[in-house]
């Protein structure tokens, strides 16, 4: 059974960076395609980017390109999402999620979320 | 950019059928999926590839997709189904996953 366990809540100042981790268990990271989704308080889900298994590379939503980097450490089965130049509007819950068993149209499994608060 | 539009809210009586729509240009040419999100919890996939249910999702959840509209149907709605629901599709023209605006389902 696949589980995604994320790092704890963060509080950051405007202009800083945050790096959120997502630890995979039950499968190896190479068997999955990790993506990241943002949800501002009281708002909807917003896809940020993730690994495209067909293209073999990480793809990013245009809105976040240049400000976000998603990486993976296969030795520890942990994925990371770093968001830079934080602003108050980035205050949100960040989820890691994944496709499963080759089905790439939907996100089958989700982490518990990491709350990032940006405040001076 | 590609957009998916949902009604902000849907109300349903216990035991009745709730239908939630998701509208987007030629959405029927893409695969649509649906997520349920209860307050304070992570989203849960309830329908993928238009009409398939993941393991563990009750049979009362069903989906369809044709033309410009995908629909999530909850038959025999229960109090536990009260939640926010989001549709989602892959847009190949922008190489991006798009979520719908979300619908709050209230079981009265």
């Amino acid at each position: 059974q696949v589980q995604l366990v994320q790092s704890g809540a963060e509080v950051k100042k405007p202009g800083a960076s945050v790096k959120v981790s997502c630890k995979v268990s039950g499968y190896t990271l190479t068997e999955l395609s990790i993506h990241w989704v943002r949800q501002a308080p009281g708002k909807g889900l917003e896809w940020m980017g993730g690994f495209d298994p067909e293209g073999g590379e990480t793809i990013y939503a245009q809105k976040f390109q240049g400000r976000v980097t998603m990486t993976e450490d296969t030795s520890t089965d942990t994925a990371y999402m770093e968001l830079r130049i934080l602003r108050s509007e980035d205050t949100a819950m960040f989820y890691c999620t994944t496709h499963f068993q080759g089905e790439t149209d939907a996100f089958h499994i989700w982490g518990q979320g990491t709350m990032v608060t940006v405040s001076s | 950019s590609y957009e998916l539009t949902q009604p902000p809210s849907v109300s349903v009586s216990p035991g009745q059928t709730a239908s939630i729509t998701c509208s987007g240009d030629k959405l029927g040419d893409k695969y649509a999926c649906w997520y349920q999100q209860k307050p304070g919890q992570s989203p849960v996939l309830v329908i993928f590839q238009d009409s398939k249910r993941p393991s563990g999702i009750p049979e009362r959840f069903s989906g369809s997709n044709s033309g410009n509209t995908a629909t999530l149907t909850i038959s025999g709605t229960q109090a536990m189904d009260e939640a926010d629901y989001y549709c989602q599709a892959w847009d190949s023209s922008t190489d991006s996953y798009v979520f719908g605006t979300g619908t709050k389902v209230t079981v009265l």
Side-chain angles (χ1 to χ4, degrees), chain A residues 21-86:
Chain A
S21 68
C22 173
K23 168 76 172 170
V24 173
S25 64
Y27 275 67
T28 65
L29 195 53
T30 56
E31 296 176 291
L32 304 175
S33 301
I34 299 295
H35 289 248
W36 294 86
V37 173
R38 183 174 81 169
Q39 185 172 38
K43 302 297 185 181
L45 303 172
E46 184 175 32
W47 175 75
M48 299 179 67
F51 185 74
D52 174 19
E54 294 183 11
E57 61 181 2
T58 300
I59 56 176
Y60 298 109
Q62 187 173 12
K63 179 176 182 177
F64 297 99
Q65 276 193 349
R67 206 163 65 94
V68 69
T69 302
M70 297 170 188
T71 56
E72 297 182 346
D73 182 346
T74 54
S75 68
T76 60
D77 288 323
T78 303
Y80 299 91
M81 185 281 298
E82 181 179 35
L83 187 61
R84 299 177 292 278
I85 316 175
L86 291 169

Side-chain angles (χ1 to χ4, degrees), chain A residues 35 37 39 43-47 59 95 99 103-108 110-113, chain B residues 31 33 35 37 41-45 48-49 54 86 88 90 95-97 99-101:
Chain A
H35 289 248
V37 173
Q39 185 172 38
K43 302 297 185 181
L45 303 172
E46 184 175 32
W47 175 75
I59 56 176
Y95 295 100
H99 303 310
E103 203 286 302
T104 60
D105 295 289
F107 300 115
H108 288 247
W110 294 68
Q112 85 276 20
Chain B
Y31 274 136
C33 62
Y35 302 90
Q37 187 180 31
Q41 298 184 19
S42 302
V44 173
L45 181 68
F48 68 101
Q49 289 186 356
Y86 295 90
Q88 177 246 299
W90 163 256
D95 281 347
S96 61
Y97 290 92
F99 286 97
T101 49

Side-chain angles (χ1 to χ4, degrees), chain B residues 1-70:
Chain B
S1 62
Y2 192 76
E3 295 181 352
L4 294 174
T5 302
Q6 301 178 232
S9 62
V10 166
S11 296
V12 60
S13 300
Q16 298 304 301
T17 297
S19 294
I20 307 162
T21 57
C22 173
S23 299
D25 185 48
K26 297 180 181 178
L27 180 56
D29 292 344
K30 312 175 191 298
Y31 274 136
C33 62
W34 293 88
Y35 302 90
Q36 176 194 69
Q37 187 180 31
K38 296 181 179 179
Q41 298 184 19
S42 302
V44 173
L45 181 68
V46 294
I47 292 288
F48 68 101
Q49 289 186 356
D50 296 338
S51 59
K52 297 180 180 178
R53 280 179 290 104
S55 174
I57 300 302
E59 291 184 7
R60 63 179 181 274
F61 289 90
S62 63
S64 63
N65 185 17
S66 179
N68 294 323
T69 304

